[in-house]
Amino acid sequence: MSTMKILVPVKRVVDYNVKVRVKSDHTGVDIANVKMSMNPFDEIAVEEAVRLKEKGVVTEVIAVSCGVTQCQETLRTAMAIGADRAILVETTDELQPLSVAKLLAAIVAREQPGLVILGKQAIDDDANQTGQMLAALCDMPQATFASKVEVADGKARVTREVDGGLETVSITLPAVVTTDLRLNEPRYVTLPNIMKAKKKQLDTVKPADLGVEVKPHLKTLKVTEPPKRSAGIKVPDVATLVAKLKNEAKVI
């Protein structure tokens, strides 16, 4: 059997159940004492990679995360789902999509995976850029918003969600695939698997070790909460509705 690795980048984000609050000085989002977890789209990517391993399509699943030391927790979760080992690119610098893509490209060059599968976007910045940038930097074919992935004979057949419905593309490996919500339902992580994950290999490297400079190219000027919506009102008849739309809302 030929060996094939899958690389799964995962991001540590504010848990999707948490109500996000803006800092009082409007410099960003408050993450002090806030529950953090794996980006849900990345969790789907880990699940898909593990399923491909269980089918015998791939031999090793490697999780990778870029960020602060606490990202180790996110990587341990990935290993509890079924990843074999993990790599943390540790840095306290602000990481924007291009910097992350460059770091991942350096890991790809080291590990030579047959497939990179990651979430289509992170729920904190919603950038939806890292996968596409990574494919460009590595000169790999890409398939985004995957709702079904089949790997066989050196190719990946990916069904992806587009505005008009579904589109199926065939790409030659190695390739980059980004996951959509309907690809799968991630498994429940059991306590025995959490304990096993603690013993799995987790390597730490710095951006400098990979020869990558993580300089931010964008500057956040101000972060504000969206304006609160005012309560709706009932109108007695169509004439009043039209008058309000014309004179108050000024939409007609």
Side-chain angles (χ1 to χ4, degrees):
M1 176 186 166
S2 61
T3 60
M4 185 171 110
K5 301 176 186 175
I6 287 192
L7 193 73
V8 190
V10 294
K11 186 176 185 182
R12 178 178 182 261
V13 298
V14 175
D15 189 88
Y16 67 93
N17 289 309
V18 172
K19 182 174 174 18
V20 174
R21 299 189 187 282
V22 173
K23 288 180 181 175
S24 56
D25 61 1
H26 298 287
T27 56
V29 170
D30 189 5
I31 58 169
N33 302 315
V34 168
K35 185 186 177 189
M36 307 290 281
S37 59
M38 188 189 300
N39 179 44
F41 289 104
D42 296 340
E43 198 174 350
I44 291 166
V46 176
E47 174 67 30
E48 194 64 22
V50 172
R51 288 187 188 189
L52 287 169
K53 188 189 171 191
E54 288 169 348
K55 288 176 187 171
V57 176
V58 300
T59 48
E60 188 179 29
V61 177
I62 307 159
V64 58
S65 192
C66 306
V68 294
T69 310
Q70 291 90 326
C71 291
Q72 288 186 15
E73 298 163 16
T74 312
L75 290 169
R76 293 288 177 202
T77 302
M79 290 191 284
I81 294 170
D84 299 292
R85 59 186 172 93
I87 301 167
L88 170 61
V89 183
E90 191 177 10
T91 177
T92 54
D93 293 330
E94 180 197 350
L95 291 176
Q96 292 175 355
L98 182 57
S99 296
V100 176
K102 286 178 177 178
L103 292 170
L104 294 176
I107 297 286
V108 167
R110 278 189 177 193
E111 294 290 343
Q112 296 291 307
L115 183 64
V116 181
I117 185 164
L118 67 160
K120 69 171 183 175
Q121 66 198 75
I123 62 168
D124 51 4
D125 57 16
D126 275 327
N128 179 15
Q129 293 175 346
T130 305
Q132 292 89 326
M133 288 175 169
L134 176 62
L137 290 171
C138 295
D139 196 23
M140 287 181 179
Q142 60 176 302
T144 55
F145 313 150
S147 59
K148 187 178 180 183
V149 177
E150 296 164 302
V151 177
D153 304 321
K155 290 186 182 296
R157 187 178 165 87
V158 179
T159 303
R160 55 190 305 271
E161 303 195 359
V162 294
D163 289 343
L166 298 175
E167 173 185 67
T168 302
V169 294
S170 178
I171 51 177
T172 305
L173 301 180
V176 175
V177 171
T178 74
T179 63
D180 215 332
L181 277 175
R182 277 167 283 281
L183 180 57
N184 62 49
E185 182 82 33
R187 68 195 66 190
Y188 179 75
V189 178
T190 62
L191 185 59
N193 285 340
I194 292 171
M195 300 310 289
K196 282 179 196 167
K198 289 182 178 179
K199 294 176 182 169
K200 290 183 179 178
Q201 179 184 344
L202 196 160
D203 299 319
T204 302
V205 296
K206 303 283 187 190
D209 302 333
L210 301 170
V212 177
E213 188 185 358
V214 290
K215 185 177 71 174
H217 296 274
L218 301 170
K219 184 180 178 185
T220 302
L221 301 179
K222 190 178 183 184
V223 178
T224 56
E225 290 192 16
K228 287 187 167 53
R229 290 179 65 178
S230 55
I233 58 167
K234 288 183 179 179
V235 292
D237 51 43
V238 174
T240 311
L241 173 64
V242 171
K244 283 188 176 292
L245 289 173
K246 201 172 193 175
N247 304 323
E248 291 180 26
K250 295 188 172 13
V251 292
I252 56 172

